[in-house]
Every structure is written in structure tokens, then in C-alpha cells.
Coordinates of all heavy atoms in Angstrom, one line a residue:
M1 N -2.9 12.4 8.2 CA -3.6 11.0 8.1 C -2.9 10.3 6.9 O -2.5 10.8 5.9 CB -5.0 11.2 7.8 CG -5.8 9.9 7.8 SD -7.5 10.1 7.6 CE -8.0 10.9 8.9
K2 N -2.6 9.0 7.1 CA -2.0 8.2 6.2 C -3.0 7.7 5.1 O -4.2 7.6 5.4 CB -1.3 7.0 6.8 CG -0.3 7.3 7.7 CD 0.3 6.0 8.3 CE 1.4 6.3 9.4 NZ 1.8 5.1 10.0
N3 N -2.4 7.4 3.8 CA -3.3 7.0 2.8 C -4.0 5.6 3.2 O -5.2 5.3 2.8 CB -2.5 6.8 1.5 CG -2.2 8.1 0.9 OD1 -2.8 9.1 1.2 ND2 -1.2 8.1 0.0
T4 N -3.3 4.7 3.9 CA -3.7 3.5 4.3 C -4.9 3.6 5.2 O -5.9 2.9 5.2 CB -2.7 2.6 4.9 OG1 -2.1 3.3 6.0 CG2 -1.6 2.2 3.9
D5 N -4.9 4.7 6.2 CA -6.0 4.9 7.0 C -7.2 5.3 6.2 O -8.3 4.9 6.6 CB -5.7 6.0 8.0 CG -4.6 5.5 9.0 OD1 -4.3 4.4 9.2 OD2 -3.9 6.5 9.6
V6 N -7.1 6.1 5.2 CA -8.3 6.6 4.5 C -8.8 5.4 3.7 O -10.0 5.2 3.7 CB -7.8 7.6 3.5 CG1 -8.9 8.0 2.5 CG2 -7.4 8.8 4.3
V7 N -7.9 4.6 3.1 CA -8.4 3.5 2.4 C -9.2 2.4 3.2 O -10.3 2.0 2.9 CB -7.3 2.7 1.6 CG1 -7.7 1.3 1.0 CG2 -6.6 3.6 0.6
V8 N -8.6 2.1 4.4 CA -9.2 1.3 5.3 C -10.6 1.8 5.8 O -11.7 1.1 5.9 CB -8.4 1.0 6.6 CG1 -9.1 0.2 7.6 CG2 -7.1 0.2 6.1
G9 N -10.6 3.2 6.0 CA -11.9 3.8 6.5 C -13.0 3.7 5.5 O -14.1 3.4 5.7
V10 N -12.6 4.0 4.2 CA -13.6 3.9 3.1 C -14.1 2.5 2.9 O -15.3 2.4 2.8 CB -13.0 4.5 1.8 CG1 -13.8 4.1 0.7 CG2 -12.6 6.0 1.8
I11 N -13.1 1.5 2.9 CA -13.6 0.2 2.7 C -14.5 -0.3 3.9 O -15.5 -0.9 3.7 CB -12.4 -0.8 2.5 CG1 -11.8 -0.5 1.2 CG2 -12.8 -2.2 2.6 CD1 -10.4 -1.2 1.0
S12 N -14.1 0.0 5.1 CA -15.0 -0.3 6.2 C -16.3 0.4 6.2 O -17.4 -0.3 6.5 CB -14.3 0.2 7.5 OG -13.1 -0.4 7.7
G13 N -16.4 1.7 5.8 CA -17.7 2.3 5.6 C -18.5 1.7 4.6 O -19.8 1.6 4.7
L14 N -17.9 1.3 3.4 CA -18.7 0.7 2.4 C -19.3 -0.7 2.8 O -20.4 -1.1 2.5 CB -17.8 0.4 1.1 CG -17.4 1.6 0.4 CD1 -16.4 1.3 -0.7 CD2 -18.7 2.3 -0.3
A15 N -18.4 -1.4 3.6 CA -18.8 -2.8 4.0 C -20.0 -2.6 5.1 O -21.0 -3.3 4.9 CB -17.7 -3.4 4.7
V16 N -19.8 -1.6 5.9 CA -20.9 -1.5 6.9 C -22.2 -1.0 6.2 O -23.4 -1.5 6.5 CB -20.5 -0.5 8.1 CG1 -21.8 -0.1 8.9 CG2 -19.4 -1.1 8.8
G17 N -22.1 -0.1 5.3 CA -23.3 0.4 4.6 C -23.9 -0.7 3.8 O -25.2 -0.8 3.7
A18 N -23.2 -1.4 3.1 CA -23.7 -2.6 2.3 C -24.4 -3.6 3.1 O -25.4 -4.1 2.8 CB -22.6 -3.2 1.4
L19 N -23.8 -3.9 4.3 CA -24.3 -4.9 5.2 C -25.6 -4.4 5.8 O -26.7 -5.1 5.8 CB -23.4 -5.2 6.4 CG -23.9 -6.2 7.4 CD1 -24.2 -7.6 6.6 CD2 -22.9 -6.4 8.4
L20 N -25.7 -3.1 6.2 CA -27.0 -2.6 6.7 C -28.1 -2.4 5.6 O -29.2 -2.8 5.9 CB -26.7 -1.2 7.3 CG -25.9 -1.2 8.7 CD1 -25.6 0.2 9.1 CD2 -26.7 -2.0 9.7
G21 N -27.6 -2.1 4.5 CA -28.7 -2.1 3.4 C -29.2 -3.4 3.0 O -30.4 -3.5 2.8
V22 N -28.4 -4.5 3.1 CA -28.9 -5.8 2.8 C -29.8 -6.3 3.9 O -30.9 -6.9 3.8 CB -27.7 -6.8 2.6 CG1 -28.2 -8.2 2.6 CG2 -27.0 -6.5 1.3
L23 N -29.3 -6.0 5.3 CA -30.1 -6.5 6.4 C -31.5 -5.9 6.5 O -32.4 -6.5 6.9 CB -29.3 -6.4 7.6 CG -28.1 -7.2 7.9 CD1 -27.4 -6.8 9.1 CD2 -28.5 -8.6 7.9
F24 N -31.6 -4.7 6.1 CA -32.9 -3.9 6.1 C -33.8 -4.1 4.9 O -34.8 -3.5 4.8 CB -32.7 -2.5 6.6 CG -32.3 -2.4 8.0 CD1 -30.9 -2.0 8.4 CD2 -33.2 -2.6 9.0 CE1 -30.6 -1.9 9.6 CE2 -32.8 -2.5 10.4 CZ -31.4 -2.1 10.7
A25 N -33.2 -4.8 3.9 CA -33.9 -5.0 2.7 C -35.2 -5.9 2.9 O -35.0 -6.9 3.7 CB -33.1 -5.6 1.6
P26 N -36.3 -5.8 2.4 CA -37.5 -6.6 2.6 C -37.5 -7.9 1.7 O -38.4 -8.0 0.9 CB -38.7 -5.7 2.2 CG -38.2 -4.8 1.2 CD -36.7 -4.6 1.6
D27 N -36.5 -8.7 1.8 CA -36.4 -9.9 0.9 C -36.5 -11.2 1.9 O -36.4 -11.0 3.2 CB -34.9 -10.0 0.2 CG -35.0 -9.0 -1.0 OD1 -36.0 -8.7 -1.5 OD2 -33.9 -8.6 -1.2
K28 N -36.6 -12.3 1.2 CA -36.7 -13.6 2.0 C -35.3 -13.8 2.6 O -34.2 -13.2 2.1 CB -37.0 -14.7 1.1 CG -38.5 -14.7 0.6 CD -38.7 -15.8 -0.4 CE -38.0 -17.1 -0.2 NZ -38.3 -18.2 -1.1
G29 N -35.3 -14.6 3.7 CA -34.0 -15.0 4.3 C -32.9 -15.5 3.4 O -31.8 -15.0 3.5
S30 N -33.3 -16.4 2.5 CA -32.3 -17.0 1.7 C -31.7 -16.0 0.7 O -30.5 -16.0 0.3 CB -33.0 -18.2 0.9 OG -34.1 -17.7 0.1
V31 N -32.6 -15.1 0.2 CA -32.2 -14.1 -0.8 C -31.2 -13.1 0.0 O -30.1 -12.7 -0.5 CB -33.3 -13.2 -1.3 CG1 -32.9 -12.0 -2.1 CG2 -34.2 -14.2 -2.2
T32 N -31.6 -12.7 1.2 CA -30.7 -11.9 2.1 C -29.3 -12.5 2.3 O -28.4 -11.8 2.2 CB -31.5 -11.5 3.4 OG1 -32.7 -10.9 3.0 CG2 -30.5 -10.7 4.2
R33 N -29.3 -13.7 2.6 CA -28.0 -14.5 2.9 C -27.2 -14.5 1.7 O -26.0 -14.4 1.7 CB -28.3 -15.9 3.4 CG -28.9 -15.9 4.9 CD -28.9 -17.3 5.4 NE -29.9 -18.2 4.7 CZ -31.1 -18.3 5.1 NH1 -31.6 -17.5 6.0 NH2 -31.9 -19.1 4.4
K34 N -27.8 -14.7 0.5 CA -27.1 -14.7 -0.8 C -26.5 -13.4 -1.1 O -25.4 -13.3 -1.4 CB -28.1 -15.1 -1.9 CG -27.5 -15.0 -3.2 CD -26.5 -16.1 -3.6 CE -26.1 -16.0 -5.0 NZ -24.8 -16.2 -5.2
K35 N -27.3 -12.3 -0.9 CA -26.9 -10.9 -1.0 C -25.7 -10.6 0.0 O -24.7 -10.0 -0.4 CB -28.0 -9.9 -0.7 CG -28.9 -9.9 -1.9 CD -29.9 -8.8 -1.5 CE -31.0 -8.7 -2.6 NZ -32.1 -7.7 -2.4
I36 N -25.8 -11.1 1.3 CA -24.6 -10.9 2.2 C -23.4 -11.6 1.7 O -22.3 -11.0 1.8 CB -25.1 -11.3 3.6 CG1 -26.0 -10.4 4.2 CG2 -23.9 -11.4 4.5 CD1 -26.7 -10.9 5.5
A37 N -23.6 -12.9 1.2 CA -22.4 -13.7 0.7 C -21.8 -12.9 -0.5 O -20.6 -12.8 -0.6 CB -22.9 -15.0 0.3
D38 N -22.7 -12.4 -1.4 CA -22.1 -11.6 -2.6 C -21.4 -10.4 -2.2 O -20.3 -10.1 -2.7 CB -23.3 -11.4 -3.5 CG -23.8 -12.6 -4.2 OD1 -23.2 -13.6 -4.2 OD2 -25.0 -12.4 -4.7
K39 N -22.0 -9.6 -1.3 CA -21.3 -8.4 -0.7 C -20.0 -8.8 -0.1 O -19.0 -8.0 -0.2 CB -22.2 -7.6 0.2 CG -23.5 -7.1 -0.4 CD -23.1 -5.9 -1.4 CE -24.4 -5.3 -2.0 NZ -24.3 -4.3 -2.9
G40 N -20.0 -9.8 0.7 CA -18.7 -10.3 1.3 C -17.7 -10.6 0.2 O -16.5 -10.2 0.4
N41 N -18.1 -11.3 -0.7 CA -17.1 -11.6 -1.8 C -16.6 -10.4 -2.5 O -15.4 -10.2 -2.9 CB -17.7 -12.6 -2.8 CG -17.8 -14.0 -2.2 OD1 -17.1 -14.4 -1.4 ND2 -18.9 -14.7 -2.8
D42 N -17.6 -9.4 -2.8 CA -17.2 -8.2 -3.4 C -16.2 -7.4 -2.5 O -15.2 -6.8 -2.9 CB -18.4 -7.3 -3.6 CG -19.3 -7.8 -4.7 OD1 -18.8 -8.6 -5.5 OD2 -20.4 -7.4 -4.9
L43 N -16.5 -7.4 -1.2 CA -15.5 -6.6 -0.3 C -14.2 -7.3 -0.3 O -13.2 -6.6 -0.2 CB -16.2 -6.7 1.1 CG -15.4 -6.0 2.2 CD1 -15.1 -4.6 1.9 CD2 -16.1 -6.2 3.6
K44 N -14.1 -8.7 -0.2 CA -12.9 -9.4 -0.2 C -12.1 -9.1 -1.5 O -10.9 -8.9 -1.4 CB -13.2 -10.9 -0.2 CG -11.9 -11.8 -0.2 CD -12.3 -13.3 -0.3 CE -12.9 -13.6 -1.6 NZ -13.1 -15.0 -1.8
D45 N -12.8 -9.0 -2.7 CA -12.2 -8.7 -3.9 C -11.5 -7.2 -3.9 O -10.4 -7.0 -4.3 CB -13.0 -8.9 -5.1 CG -13.3 -10.3 -5.3 OD1 -12.6 -11.2 -4.8 OD2 -14.3 -10.6 -6.0
N46 N -12.3 -6.3 -3.3 CA -11.9 -5.0 -3.2 C -10.7 -4.8 -2.3 O -9.7 -4.1 -2.5 CB -13.0 -4.1 -2.7 CG -14.1 -3.8 -3.8 OD1 -13.8 -3.9 -5.0 ND2 -15.3 -3.4 -3.4
L47 N -10.7 -5.6 -1.2 CA -9.7 -5.5 -0.2 C -8.4 -6.1 -0.8 O -7.3 -5.5 -0.6 CB -10.1 -6.3 1.0 CG -9.2 -6.2 2.2 CD1 -9.0 -4.8 2.7 CD2 -9.7 -6.9 3.4
K48 N -8.6 -7.2 -1.5 CA -7.3 -7.7 -2.2 C -6.8 -6.8 -3.2 O -5.6 -6.7 -3.3 CB -7.8 -9.0 -3.0 CG -7.9 -10.3 -2.1 CD -8.2 -11.5 -3.0 CE -8.3 -12.8 -2.2 NZ -8.7 -13.9 -3.1
G49 N -7.6 -6.0 -3.9 CA -7.1 -5.1 -4.9 C -6.4 -3.9 -4.1 O -5.3 -3.5 -4.5
S50 N -7.0 -3.4 -3.0 CA -6.4 -2.3 -2.3 C -5.1 -2.8 -1.7 O -4.2 -2.0 -1.7 CB -7.4 -1.9 -1.2 OG -8.5 -1.3 -1.8
F51 N -5.1 -4.0 -1.2 CA -3.8 -4.5 -0.6 C -2.8 -4.6 -1.7 O -1.6 -4.3 -1.4 CB -4.1 -5.9 0.1 CG -2.9 -6.3 0.9 CD1 -2.6 -5.7 2.0 CD2 -2.2 -7.4 0.4 CE1 -1.4 -6.1 2.7 CE2 -1.1 -7.9 1.1 CZ -0.7 -7.2 2.3
S52 N -3.1 -5.1 -2.8 CA -2.1 -5.2 -4.0 C -1.7 -3.9 -4.3 O -0.4 -3.7 -4.5 CB -2.8 -5.9 -5.2 OG -3.2 -7.2 -4.8
D53 N -2.5 -2.9 -4.4 CA -2.1 -1.5 -4.7 C -1.1 -0.9 -3.6 O -0.1 -0.3 -3.9 CB -3.3 -0.6 -4.8 CG -4.1 -1.0 -6.1 OD1 -3.6 -1.7 -6.9 OD2 -5.3 -0.4 -6.1
F54 N -1.4 -1.3 -2.4 CA -0.6 -0.9 -1.2 C 0.8 -1.5 -1.3 O 1.8 -0.8 -1.3 CB -1.3 -1.2 0.1 CG -0.4 -1.0 1.3 CD1 -0.1 0.4 1.7 CD2 0.1 -2.0 2.0 CE1 0.7 0.5 2.8 CE2 1.0 -1.8 3.0 CZ 1.3 -0.5 3.5
I55 N 0.8 -2.8 -1.7 CA 2.0 -3.5 -1.7 C 2.9 -3.0 -2.9 O 4.1 -2.8 -2.8 CB 1.8 -5.0 -1.9 CG1 1.3 -5.6 -0.7 CG2 3.1 -5.8 -2.2 CD1 2.2 -5.4 0.6
A56 N 2.2 -2.7 -4.0 CA 3.0 -2.1 -5.1 C 3.5 -0.8 -4.8 O 4.7 -0.5 -5.2 CB 2.1 -2.0 -6.3
S57 N 2.7 0.0 -4.1 CA 3.2 1.4 -3.6 C 4.5 1.2 -2.7 O 5.5 1.9 -2.8 CB 2.1 2.1 -2.9 OG 2.6 3.2 -2.3
V58 N 4.5 0.4 -1.8 CA 5.5 0.2 -0.8 C 6.8 -0.4 -1.6 O 7.9 0.0 -1.4 CB 5.1 -0.9 0.3 CG1 6.4 -1.4 1.1 CG2 4.1 -0.3 1.3
E59 N 6.6 -1.3 -2.6 CA 7.7 -1.8 -3.4 C 8.3 -0.7 -4.3 O 9.5 -0.5 -4.3 CB 7.2 -2.8 -4.4 CG 6.9 -4.1 -3.6 CD 6.3 -5.2 -4.5 OE1 5.9 -4.9 -5.7 OE2 6.2 -6.4 -4.1
D60 N 7.5 0.2 -4.8 CA 8.0 1.4 -5.5 C 8.8 2.3 -4.6 O 9.9 2.8 -5.0 CB 6.9 2.2 -6.2 CG 6.2 1.5 -7.4 OD1 6.8 0.4 -7.8 OD2 5.2 1.8 -7.8
Q61 N 8.3 2.7 -3.3 CA 8.9 3.5 -2.5 C 10.2 3.0 -2.0 O 11.2 3.6 -1.8 CB 8.0 3.8 -1.3 CG 7.0 4.7 -1.6 CD 5.9 4.9 -0.4 OE1 6.2 4.5 0.6 NE2 4.8 5.7 -0.7
Y62 N 10.3 1.5 -1.8 CA 11.6 0.9 -1.4 C 12.5 0.9 -2.5 O 13.7 1.2 -2.2 CB 11.2 -0.6 -1.0 CG 12.5 -1.4 -0.7 CD1 13.1 -1.3 0.5 CD2 13.0 -2.2 -1.7 CE1 14.2 -1.9 0.8 CE2 14.1 -3.0 -1.4 CZ 14.8 -2.8 -0.1 OH 16.0 -3.5 0.2
A63 N 12.2 0.8 -3.8 CA 13.0 0.8 -4.9 C 13.6 2.2 -5.0 O 14.8 2.4 -5.2 CB 12.3 0.4 -6.1
D64 N 12.7 3.3 -4.8 CA 13.2 4.6 -4.9 C 14.2 4.9 -3.8 O 15.2 5.5 -3.9 CB 12.1 5.7 -4.8 CG 11.1 5.6 -6.0 OD1 11.6 5.1 -7.0 OD2 10.0 6.2 -5.9
F65 N 13.9 4.5 -2.6 CA 14.8 4.6 -1.4 C 16.1 3.9 -1.6 O 17.1 4.6 -1.5 CB 14.1 4.0 -0.1 CG 15.0 4.1 1.0 CD1 15.2 5.4 1.7 CD2 15.7 3.0 1.5 CE1 16.1 5.4 2.8 CE2 16.5 3.1 2.6 CZ 16.7 4.2 3.2
T66 N 16.1 2.8 -2.1 CA 17.4 2.1 -2.3 C 18.2 2.7 -3.4 O 19.3 2.8 -3.3 CB 17.2 0.5 -2.7 OG1 16.4 0.4 -3.7 CG2 16.6 -0.1 -1.5
S67 N 17.6 3.2 -4.4 CA 18.2 3.8 -5.6 C 18.9 5.1 -5.0 O 20.0 5.4 -5.3 CB 17.2 4.2 -6.7 OG 17.8 5.0 -7.7
N68 N 18.1 5.9 -4.3 CA 18.6 7.1 -3.7 C 19.8 6.9 -2.7 O 20.7 7.5 -2.6 CB 17.5 8.0 -3.0 CG 16.5 8.6 -3.9 OD1 16.8 8.7 -5.1 ND2 15.5 8.8 -3.4
A69 N 19.6 5.8 -1.9 CA 20.7 5.5 -0.9 C 21.9 5.1 -1.7 O 23.1 5.5 -1.2 CB 20.2 4.3 -0.1
E70 N 21.9 4.3 -2.8 CA 23.0 4.0 -3.6 C 23.7 5.2 -4.1 O 25.0 5.4 -4.1 CB 22.6 3.0 -4.6 CG 22.3 1.6 -4.2 CD 21.7 0.7 -5.2 OE1 21.6 1.2 -6.4 OE2 21.5 -0.4 -4.9
E71 N 22.9 6.2 -4.6 CA 23.5 7.3 -5.2 C 24.1 8.2 -4.1 O 25.3 8.7 -4.4 CB 22.4 8.2 -5.8 CG 21.8 7.7 -7.1 CD 20.6 8.5 -7.6 OE1 20.3 9.6 -7.0 OE2 19.9 8.0 -8.4
V72 N 23.5 8.3 -2.9 CA 24.2 9.0 -1.8 C 25.5 8.3 -1.4 O 26.5 9.0 -1.2 CB 23.3 9.2 -0.6 CG1 24.0 9.7 0.6 CG2 22.2 10.1 -1.0
F73 N 25.4 7.0 -1.3 CA 26.7 6.2 -0.9 C 27.8 6.5 -2.0 O 28.9 6.7 -1.6 CB 26.3 4.7 -0.9 CG 27.4 3.8 -0.5 CD1 28.1 3.8 0.7 CD2 28.1 3.1 -1.6 CE1 29.1 3.0 1.1 CE2 29.2 2.4 -1.3 CZ 29.7 2.3 0.0
E74 N 27.5 6.4 -3.2 CA 28.4 6.6 -4.3 C 29.0 7.9 -4.3 O 30.2 8.2 -4.4 CB 27.9 6.2 -5.7 CG 27.6 4.7 -5.9 CD 28.8 3.8 -5.7 OE1 29.9 4.3 -6.1 OE2 28.8 2.7 -5.2
E75 N 28.2 8.9 -4.0 CA 28.7 10.4 -3.9 C 29.6 10.5 -2.8 O 30.6 11.1 -2.9 CB 27.5 11.3 -3.9 CG 27.9 12.7 -3.9 CD 26.7 13.7 -3.8 OE1 25.6 13.2 -4.2 OE2 26.9 14.8 -3.3
G76 N 29.2 10.0 -1.6 CA 30.0 10.0 -0.4 C 31.4 9.3 -0.6 O 32.4 9.8 -0.2
K77 N 31.3 8.2 -1.3 CA 32.6 7.4 -1.5 C 33.5 8.3 -2.5 O 34.6 8.3 -2.3 CB 32.2 6.1 -2.2 CG 33.4 5.2 -2.4 CD 32.9 3.9 -3.1 CE 34.0 3.0 -3.5 NZ 33.5 1.8 -4.2
S78 N 32.9 8.9 -3.5 CA 33.7 9.7 -4.4 C 34.3 10.9 -3.7 O 35.5 11.2 -3.8 CB 32.8 10.2 -5.5 OG 33.4 11.1 -6.3
R79 N 33.6 11.5 -2.9 CA 34.1 12.7 -2.1 C 35.2 12.2 -1.2 O 36.2 12.9 -1.0 CB 33.0 13.4 -1.3 CG 32.1 14.1 -2.1 CD 31.0 14.9 -1.4 NE 30.0 15.6 -2.0 CZ 29.1 16.4 -1.6 NH1 28.9 16.4 -0.3 NH2 28.3 17.0 -2.5
L80 N 35.0 11.1 -0.5 CA 36.0 10.6 0.4 C 37.3 10.3 -0.4 O 38.5 10.6 0.0 CB 35.5 9.3 1.1 CG 36.5 8.7 2.1 CD1 36.8 9.7 3.2 CD2 35.9 7.5 2.7
E81 N 37.2 9.6 -1.5 CA 38.4 9.4 -2.4 C 39.1 10.6 -2.8 O 40.3 10.8 -2.8 CB 37.9 8.5 -3.5 CG 37.6 7.1 -3.2 CD 37.1 6.3 -4.4 OE1 36.9 6.9 -5.5 OE2 36.8 5.0 -4.3
Q82 N 38.3 11.6 -3.3 CA 38.8 12.9 -3.5 C 39.5 13.6 -2.4 O 40.7 14.1 -2.6 CB 37.7 13.9 -4.1 CG 38.1 15.2 -4.6 CD 39.1 15.2 -5.8 OE1 38.8 14.2 -6.7 NE2 40.1 15.9 -5.9
M83 N 39.0 13.5 -1.2 CA 39.6 14.1 0.0 C 40.9 13.4 0.3 O 41.9 13.9 0.6 CB 38.7 14.1 1.1 CG 37.5 15.1 1.1 SD 36.2 14.8 2.2 CE 37.2 15.2 3.7
S84 N 40.9 12.1 0.1 CA 42.0 11.2 0.3 C 43.2 11.5 -0.6 O 44.3 11.7 -0.2 CB 41.6 9.8 0.2 OG 42.8 8.9 0.5
N85 N 42.7 11.8 -1.9 CA 43.8 12.2 -2.9 C 44.3 13.5 -2.7 O 45.5 13.8 -2.8 CB 43.1 12.1 -4.3 CG 42.8 10.7 -4.8 OD1 43.5 9.7 -4.3 ND2 42.0 10.6 -5.7
D86 N 43.5 14.4 -2.2 CA 43.9 15.8 -1.9 C 44.9 15.8 -0.8 O 45.9 16.6 -0.7 CB 42.7 16.7 -1.6 CG 42.0 17.1 -2.8 OD1 42.3 16.7 -3.9 OD2 40.7 17.5 -2.7
I87 N 44.7 15.0 0.3 CA 45.4 14.9 1.4 C 46.8 14.3 1.2 O 47.9 14.7 1.6 CB 44.8 14.1 2.7 CG1 43.6 15.0 3.1 CG2 45.7 13.8 3.8 CD1 42.7 14.3 4.1
S88 N 46.8 13.3 0.3 CA 48.1 12.5 0.0 C 49.0 13.3 -0.9 O 50.2 13.0 -1.1 CB 47.7 11.2 -0.5 OG 47.1 11.3 -1.7
R89 N 48.6 14.4 -1.5 CA 49.4 15.2 -2.4 C 50.4 16.1 -1.7 O 50.5 16.6 -0.8 CB 48.5 16.0 -3.3 CG 47.8 15.2 -4.4 CD 47.1 16.1 -5.3 NE 46.3 15.2 -6.2 CZ 45.4 15.6 -7.0 NH1 45.3 16.9 -7.2 NH2 44.8 14.8 -7.8

């Protein structure tokens, strides 16, 4: 299972739980609507934070990948030059 699947599942579960908790609370309609709006804003903020963390993770993985690719390329280039020098002797 991917980390993103787990994050999405947890956030979805929290959202559904919060919504059900607010809907079944014995408050006036206006208070309930205010609570739903507040929970929606909280969920939005959490989702933005999770998405930002995900993007940062992808950026780090991309940077690691490109760094490793450059190292492999340079090593291959060096070996090819060495083989070329060995052949030309």
C-alpha cells in the first residue's frame, strides 16, 4: 500500500467522522452549519498540509533520482573512456 493511499484514507475517515459527529449533535441548525463550515476549513487546511508534504517528498525523491542518475552517467562515461583508451593502446 502506498503512503498516499494511507494519508487519503486517514483524512477521509477523519472527515466522515467529523461530519457525522456534527450532524448528530443536538445543536441548533445555525450552530451545526457553523460547525460543519469550521470542520470543512480544518479539513481543507489539513489536506493542504498533507499535499504540501507529499509534493516535498516527491521533490526530494526526484532530486535523489537525478543525482543518482548523474553519478551513474558519469561513471559509465568514465568507464567508456577508459575502455576506449585501453583499446587504442
Side-chain angles (χ1 to χ4, degrees):
M1 184 180 293
K2 296 180 183 177
N3 288 340
T4 55
D5 293 341
V6 173
V7 171
V8 169
V10 168
I11 290 173
S12 299
L14 289 172
V16 170
L19 181 62
L20 289 175
V22 170
L23 288 176
F24 288 107
D27 284 332
K28 290 176 33 179
S30 59
V31 174
T32 301
R33 286 189 297 275
K34 173 72 172 139
K35 286 182 180 180
I36 290 173
D38 290 343
K39 294 289 183 181
N41 288 332
D42 290 344
L43 178 63
K44 179 183 70 171
D45 292 340
N46 288 338
L47 189 57
K48 280 183 181 179
S50 296
F51 187 71
S52 296
D53 293 344
F54 173 72
I55 293 298
S57 172
V58 169
E59 287 174 344
D60 290 343
Q61 290 176 2
Y62 176 76
D64 290 344
F65 174 77
T66 55
S67 175
N68 290 339
E70 288 173 359
E71 289 174 12
V72 168
F73 176 76
E74 290 300 324
E75 183 179 334
K77 183 178 172 184
S78 174
R79 286 184 181 179
L80 183 61
E81 287 174 355
Q82 182 64 35
M83 290 171 59
S84 176
N85 289 339
D86 290 346
I87 292 172
S88 64
R89 287 184 188 174

